[in-house]
Amino acid sequence: MPTHKAVHVQAPGEPLTLVDVETESPPRDHVRIAVSACGVCGTDHAFVSGAFPEMSWPLTLGHEIAGTIAELGAGVDNYAVGDRVGVGWFGGHCNQCIPCRKGTFIYCEKLQVPSWQYPGGYAESVTVPANALARIPSELSFTEAAPLGCAGVTTFDALRKTRAVPGDRVAILGIGGLGHLGVQFARAMGFETIAIARGADKADDARQLGAHHYVDSTAGDVSEALRALGGVSVVLGTAANSKAMGAVVGGLLPLGELTVVGVTPDPLPISPLQLITPGVNVTGHPSGTARDVEEAMQFAVLSGVRARIEERPLSEAAEAYAAMEAGRARYRMVLTM
């Protein structure tokens, strides 16, 4: 039986270790991908911690996968060996539950996520459902494409599904793995873009990424700062900090939207009064389907949006993960195989 290299986490909280695993042929309606690149996402920390239900061990992390199809399972006739494909947080849907029958595949009751329902992309090879695949445009390298499968599509799809129109003011809360892409997408979509982050050290980066304005959340009341700029139609909350998200609500214009993509279990400190009087909406947004990933990639090609990445070989996955966990990544770690 042939083998490939993969990173295992043996149990919750255990270190990342590189091992040899058997390379099996894909079952029906699945494909096997020769992985070229895989992004390191903040949510990987939750997997390592065992924070999701019904996890199985050992675990292989990775849900920002890019590579080429190496092998087709029975029944897959719309892809070919050698096709360049990506897989993000959306790792397949059942096509039978009510959300799937309504066409809202991202809300599938049996949604599959790489590293949760099956081994992820911190590996030389990964087997995935064919309905999880997003075609990668020829203009994108594998390392450019990988972060768009989660961080990219999450921010892109969240912004385009707000009511904001070109010329509106939109704020991105948090300039990290998601936020640095959110700033770029907001600027490319024609919004007057405001970046919000802690400290003055990210101001230059934020402007280089396309922000028209920068708000240092440690320098004063964030809502007052947003009102001084005229108020905002949308805040995209990428920072996994409920207190920080609650602090922006007062800067929203009437009928404004706080769209939450930063994951945290802590409750949002927002009162009904803050929502009712100005008619403000607070919305959670998941990632995006395989087609949404394709559209995020196509928009990135057209607009020049790219993740700022630091590449590490698969053998240094533990170091790359540690850099992400410690907040040293500027702004996305990507493993290469």
Side-chain angles (χ1 to χ4, degrees):
M1 175 74 72
T3 64
H4 64 270
K5 298 288 186 183
V7 174
H8 274 185
V9 180
Q10 295 294 335
E14 292 293 308
L16 282 64
T17 57
L18 191 66
V19 300
D20 291 307
V21 297
E22 292 186 349
T23 307
E24 299 180 352
S25 293
R28 185 175 185 84
D29 298 325
H30 287 63
V31 306
R32 184 171 66 82
I33 299 172
V35 181
S36 295
C38 185
V40 178
C41 181
T43 311
D44 292 343
H45 172 78
F47 284 116
V48 172
S49 302
F52 292 98
E54 299 180 7
M55 296 178 63
S56 59
W57 306 88
L59 177 81
T60 297
L61 299 167
H63 57 267
E64 291 185 343
I65 304 165
T68 56
I69 294 177
E71 195 174 354
L72 301 172
V76 180
D77 56 10
N78 54 337
Y79 290 94
V81 171
D83 284 355
R84 304 171 78 245
V85 293
V87 181
W89 176 266
F90 179 88
H93 63 283
C94 74
N95 214 31
Q96 296 177 348
C97 67
I98 290 176
C100 283
R101 292 171 65 192
K102 288 183 174 182
T104 53
F105 303 125
I106 193 66
Y107 303 111
C108 174
E109 293 174 359
K110 298 179 181 178
L111 181 70
Q112 298 186 67
V113 178
S115 71
W116 192 352
Q117 279 73 31
Y118 56 83
Y122 287 23
E124 294 174 332
S125 177
V126 64
T127 296
V128 305
N131 63 21
L133 299 175
R135 296 184 185 274
I136 299 175
S138 60
E139 295 90 344
L140 293 177
S141 69
F142 290 119
T143 53
E144 290 173 331
L148 296 175
C150 179
V153 70
T154 299
T155 51
F156 167 79
D157 201 44
L159 286 168
R160 70 173 178 168
K161 288 180 177 175
T162 68
R163 292 192 295 267
V165 297
D168 283 353
R169 280 183 297 276
V170 169
I172 310 299
L173 173 64
I175 311 301
L178 275 75
H180 90 286
L181 282 163
V183 169
Q184 293 181 71
F185 279 126
R187 176 67 180 249
M189 290 177 182
F191 302 135
E192 183 178 344
T193 303
I194 303 166
I196 307 169
R198 292 179 58 82
D201 58 315
K202 287 190 177 180
D204 289 342
D205 266 9
R207 292 190 174 92
Q208 289 173 14
L209 291 164
H212 298 93
H213 313 280
Y214 181 76
V215 173
D216 175 2
S217 62
T218 67
D221 186 288
V222 175
S223 288
E224 286 184 4
L226 294 178
R227 289 195 298 270
L229 291 169
V232 296
S233 298
V234 171
V235 175
L236 180 64
T238 73
N241 185 318
S242 294
K243 183 178 179 180
M245 286 190 269
V248 304
V249 172
L252 288 167
L253 292 166
L255 303 180
E257 300 168 79
L258 167 60
T259 300
V260 178
V261 297
V263 179
T264 171
D266 301 323
L268 292 170
I270 300 171
S271 74
L273 182 62
Q274 289 178 285
L275 305 179
I276 293 170
T277 302
V280 164
N281 288 293
V282 179
T283 305
H285 184 82
S287 185
T289 65
R291 180 55 189 164
D292 293 327
V293 173
E294 289 180 344
E295 291 175 352
M297 290 183 185
Q298 290 164 359
F299 188 83
V301 169
L302 292 172
S303 62
V305 171
R306 297 291 189 276
R308 290 190 179 181
I309 63 174
E310 181 180 341
E311 297 181 29
R312 294 285 185 90
L314 182 63
S315 60
E316 297 180 13
E319 292 84 352
Y321 174 83
M324 176 279 297
E325 195 174 32
R328 299 195 304 270
R330 290 291 185 272
Y331 284 95
R332 210 69 172 172
M333 307 299 296
V334 176
L335 302 176
T336 56
M337 309 343 171

